[in-house]
Amino acid sequence: MPAALIRIENLRFRWADDADFCLDIPLLEVHAGERVFLHGPSGSGKSTLLGLLGGVLVPERGRLHLLGSELTQLRPAARDRFRADHVGFLFQLFNLIPYLSVVDNVLLSCRFSARRLARATAAGNSPAAEAHRLLTQLDLDASLHGRQVTRLSVGQQQRVAAARALIGQPEIVIADEPTSALDTERQVAFLELLRDECDRSGSTLLFVSHDRRLAAGFDRQLSLATGGGVSAGGSA
Ligand code: ADP
Ligand code: MG
């Protein structure tokens, strides 16, 4: 088997003001192209783990190996660059910029990464054309692409956030409970589109949710226990 795309080893993280919580991961590997469903109850440390993988948080000890780079060895500016270039984040509350249009929100990922700008240009002739393609593929009608994002429904904003995570084909797409505001049927439909687009761009998908009903269609399931321990759940 080829080297893992993500390899976490002997990792420990604690928040300074939360003595009860300790994220402890002896070994976690994700391979290129895998679609992994990370499950765990609220407060089990899912978002904390994603913050570590994004290089926003730094562990107390252990290794965080992504795409051949050891995140814990990078300086903060290099970690930020690494994240912008290689990781597409889809947040629970989307974190869209309210005064920008749909397309300009999607293009933000390209503004922060020359690599993703180049890849979006190669994929779509222009970054804007690639943004339009992604939005349409994610089922957001072209008539809405020029609109200010605050004038969209929550379900529509989710599509925008997904397109922003996907543009420029980052190797890793990380989604932190982006579907919790939607009913189950719409969540499932959205997940199918997200997985299709990850397949198309060859992105590895790490999808996080407290809702196990969404696990179907993923290659593998991992679980975080209350208090921060991780276990492999086998195939989803
Ligand atoms: P989940 O995403 O699984 O709901 P989190 O990673 O958000 O869990 O939280 C795990 C634990 O870390 C919780 O006990 C929470 O209170 C604590 N925590 C999360 N964010 C912070 C923070 N910024 N400062 C201090 N403690 C935090
Ligand atoms: Mg969370």
Side-chain angles (χ1 to χ4, degrees), residues 187-219:
Q187 289 178 1
V188 169
F190 169 74
L191 265 177
E192 261 175 48
L193 295 175
L194 183 65
R195 280 193 301 259
D196 285 352
E197 201 50 48
C198 283
D199 281 353
R200 188 177 191 276
S201 62
S203 303
T204 299
L205 175 63
L206 185 56
F207 186 90
V208 171
S209 178
H210 65 275
D211 185 355
R212 276 210 145 111
R213 288 174 303 179
L214 301 176
F218 284 83
D219 301 323

Coordinates of all heavy atoms in Angstrom, one line a residue, residues 187-219:
Q187 N -29.6 16.2 3.0 CA -28.2 15.9 3.4 C -27.6 14.8 2.5 O -26.5 14.9 2.1 CB -28.2 15.4 4.9 CG -28.4 16.5 5.9 CD -28.4 16.0 7.3 OE1 -28.2 14.8 7.5 NE2 -28.7 16.9 8.3
V188 N -28.4 13.8 2.3 CA -28.0 12.6 1.6 C -27.7 13.0 0.1 O -26.7 12.7 -0.5 CB -29.0 11.5 1.6 CG1 -28.7 10.4 0.6 CG2 -29.0 10.9 3.0
A189 N -28.6 13.8 -0.5 CA -28.4 14.3 -1.8 C -27.1 15.2 -1.9 O -26.3 15.0 -2.9 CB -29.6 15.1 -2.3
F190 N -26.9 16.0 -1.0 CA -25.7 16.9 -1.0 C -24.5 16.1 -0.8 O -23.5 16.3 -1.6 CB -25.8 17.9 0.2 CG -24.5 18.6 0.4 CD1 -24.1 19.6 -0.4 CD2 -23.7 18.3 1.5 CE1 -22.9 20.3 -0.2 CE2 -22.5 19.0 1.7 CZ -22.1 19.9 0.8
L191 N -24.5 15.1 0.0 CA -23.3 14.2 0.2 C -22.9 13.5 -1.1 O -21.7 13.3 -1.3 CB -23.6 13.2 1.3 CG -23.1 13.6 2.7 CD1 -23.5 12.6 3.7 CD2 -21.6 13.8 2.7
E192 N -23.9 13.1 -1.8 CA -23.6 12.4 -3.1 C -22.9 13.3 -4.0 O -21.9 12.9 -4.7 CB -24.9 11.9 -3.7 CG -25.2 10.4 -3.4 CD -26.5 10.0 -4.0 OE1 -26.8 10.4 -5.2 OE2 -27.3 9.4 -3.2
L193 N -23.4 14.5 -4.1 CA -22.7 15.5 -5.0 C -21.3 15.8 -4.5 O -20.3 15.9 -5.3 CB -23.5 16.8 -5.0 CG -24.9 16.7 -5.6 CD1 -25.7 18.0 -5.5 CD2 -24.8 16.3 -7.1
L194 N -21.1 15.9 -3.2 CA -19.8 16.2 -2.6 C -18.8 15.1 -2.9 O -17.7 15.3 -3.4 CB -19.9 16.5 -1.1 CG -18.7 16.8 -0.4 CD1 -18.2 18.2 -0.8 CD2 -18.9 16.9 1.2
R195 N -19.3 13.9 -2.7 CA -18.4 12.7 -3.0 C -18.1 12.6 -4.5 O -16.9 12.3 -4.9 CB -19.1 11.4 -2.5 CG -19.0 11.2 -1.0 CD -19.4 9.8 -0.7 NE -20.7 9.5 -1.1 CZ -21.8 9.5 -0.2 NH1 -21.6 9.7 1.1 NH2 -23.0 9.2 -0.7
D196 N -19.1 12.8 -5.4 CA -18.8 12.8 -6.8 C -17.7 13.8 -7.2 O -16.8 13.5 -8.0 CB -20.1 13.2 -7.6 CG -21.1 12.1 -7.6 OD1 -20.8 11.0 -7.1 OD2 -22.2 12.3 -8.0
E197 N -17.8 15.0 -6.6 CA -16.9 16.0 -7.0 C -15.5 15.7 -6.5 O -14.5 16.0 -7.1 CB -17.4 17.4 -6.6 CG -16.8 18.6 -7.3 CD -16.9 18.4 -8.8 OE1 -17.9 18.1 -9.4 OE2 -15.8 18.7 -9.5
C198 N -15.4 15.1 -5.3 CA -14.1 14.7 -4.7 C -13.5 13.6 -5.6 O -12.3 13.6 -5.8 CB -14.3 14.2 -3.3 SG -14.5 15.5 -2.1
D199 N -14.3 12.7 -6.1 CA -13.8 11.7 -7.0 C -13.3 12.3 -8.2 O -12.2 11.9 -8.7 CB -15.0 10.7 -7.4 CG -15.3 9.7 -6.3 OD1 -14.5 9.7 -5.3 OD2 -16.3 9.0 -6.4
R200 N -14.0 13.2 -8.8 CA -13.6 13.9 -10.0 C -12.2 14.6 -9.9 O -11.4 14.5 -10.8 CB -14.7 14.9 -10.4 CG -14.5 15.5 -11.8 CD -15.6 16.5 -12.1 NE -15.6 16.9 -13.5 CZ -14.9 17.9 -13.9 NH1 -14.1 18.6 -13.1 NH2 -14.9 18.2 -15.2
S201 N -12.0 15.2 -8.7 CA -10.8 16.0 -8.6 C -9.7 15.2 -7.8 O -8.6 15.6 -7.6 CB -11.0 17.3 -7.8 OG -11.5 17.0 -6.5
G202 N -10.0 13.9 -7.5 CA -9.1 13.1 -6.8 C -8.8 13.5 -5.4 O -7.8 13.1 -4.8
S203 N -9.7 14.2 -4.8 CA -9.5 14.7 -3.4 C -9.9 13.6 -2.4 O -10.9 12.9 -2.6 CB -10.4 15.9 -3.1 OG -10.1 17.0 -4.0
T204 N -9.2 13.5 -1.4 CA -9.5 12.6 -0.3 C -10.5 13.4 0.6 O -10.3 14.6 0.9 CB -8.2 12.3 0.5 OG1 -7.3 11.7 -0.4 CG2 -8.5 11.4 1.7
L205 N -11.6 12.7 1.0 CA -12.6 13.4 1.8 C -12.7 12.9 3.2 O -12.8 11.7 3.5 CB -14.0 13.2 1.1 CG -15.2 13.7 1.8 CD1 -15.2 15.2 2.0 CD2 -16.5 13.3 1.1
L206 N -12.6 13.8 4.2 CA -12.8 13.5 5.6 C -14.0 14.2 6.0 O -14.0 15.5 6.1 CB -11.5 14.0 6.4 CG -11.5 13.6 7.9 CD1 -11.7 12.1 8.1 CD2 -10.2 14.1 8.5
F207 N -15.1 13.5 6.2 CA -16.4 14.1 6.5 C -16.8 13.8 8.0 O -16.8 12.6 8.4 CB -17.4 13.5 5.6 CG -18.8 14.2 5.7 CD1 -19.1 15.3 4.9 CD2 -19.7 13.7 6.6 CE1 -20.3 15.9 5.1 CE2 -21.0 14.3 6.7 CZ -21.3 15.4 6.0
V208 N -17.1 14.8 8.7 CA -17.4 14.7 10.1 C -18.8 14.9 10.4 O -19.4 15.9 9.9 CB -16.5 15.7 10.9 CG1 -16.9 15.8 12.3 CG2 -15.1 15.4 10.7
S209 N -19.4 14.0 11.2 CA -20.8 14.2 11.6 C -21.1 13.4 12.9 O -20.5 12.4 13.2 CB -21.7 13.8 10.5 OG -23.1 13.9 10.9
H210 N -22.0 13.9 13.7 CA -22.5 13.2 14.8 C -23.6 12.2 14.4 O -24.1 11.4 15.2 CB -23.0 14.1 15.9 CG -24.2 14.9 15.5 ND1 -24.1 16.1 14.8 CD2 -25.5 14.6 15.6 CE1 -25.4 16.5 14.5 NE2 -26.2 15.6 15.0
D211 N -24.0 12.3 13.1 CA -25.2 11.6 12.7 C -24.8 10.4 11.8 O -24.5 10.5 10.6 CB -26.1 12.6 11.8 CG -27.4 11.9 11.4 OD1 -27.6 10.7 11.7 OD2 -28.2 12.6 10.8
R212 N -24.8 9.2 12.4 CA -24.3 8.0 11.8 C -25.2 7.6 10.5 O -24.7 6.8 9.7 CB -24.4 6.8 12.8 CG -23.2 6.8 13.6 CD -22.9 5.3 14.0 NE -21.5 5.0 14.1 CZ -20.9 4.8 15.2 NH1 -21.5 4.7 16.3 NH2 -19.6 4.5 15.2
R213 N -26.4 8.1 10.5 CA -27.2 7.8 9.3 C -26.6 8.2 8.0 O -27.0 7.8 6.9 CB -28.6 8.4 9.5 CG -29.5 7.8 10.5 CD -30.7 8.5 10.8 NE -30.5 9.9 11.1 CZ -31.4 10.8 11.3 NH1 -32.7 10.5 11.2 NH2 -31.1 12.1 11.6
L214 N -25.7 9.2 8.1 CA -25.0 9.7 6.9 C -23.8 8.9 6.4 O -23.2 9.2 5.4 CB -24.6 11.1 7.1 CG -25.7 12.1 7.5 CD1 -25.2 13.5 7.7 CD2 -26.8 12.2 6.4
A215 N -23.5 7.8 7.2 CA -22.2 7.1 6.9 C -22.3 6.2 5.6 O -21.2 5.9 5.1 CB -21.9 6.2 8.1
A216 N -23.4 5.9 5.2 CA -23.5 5.0 4.0 C -22.8 5.8 2.8 O -22.9 7.0 2.6 CB -25.0 4.7 3.6
G217 N -22.1 5.0 2.0 CA -21.5 5.6 0.8 C -20.0 6.1 1.1 O -19.3 6.5 0.2
F218 N -19.6 5.9 2.4 CA -18.2 6.2 2.7 C -17.4 4.9 2.7 O -17.9 3.8 3.0 CB -18.1 6.9 4.0 CG -18.5 8.4 3.9 CD1 -19.8 8.7 4.0 CD2 -17.5 9.4 3.8 CE1 -20.2 10.1 3.9 CE2 -17.9 10.7 3.7 CZ -19.2 11.0 3.7
D219 N -16.1 5.0 2.5 CA -15.2 3.8 2.4 C -15.0 3.3 3.8 O -14.8 2.1 4.0 CB -13.9 4.1 1.8 CG -14.0 4.6 0.4 OD1 -14.9 4.1 -0.3 OD2 -13.3 5.5 0.0

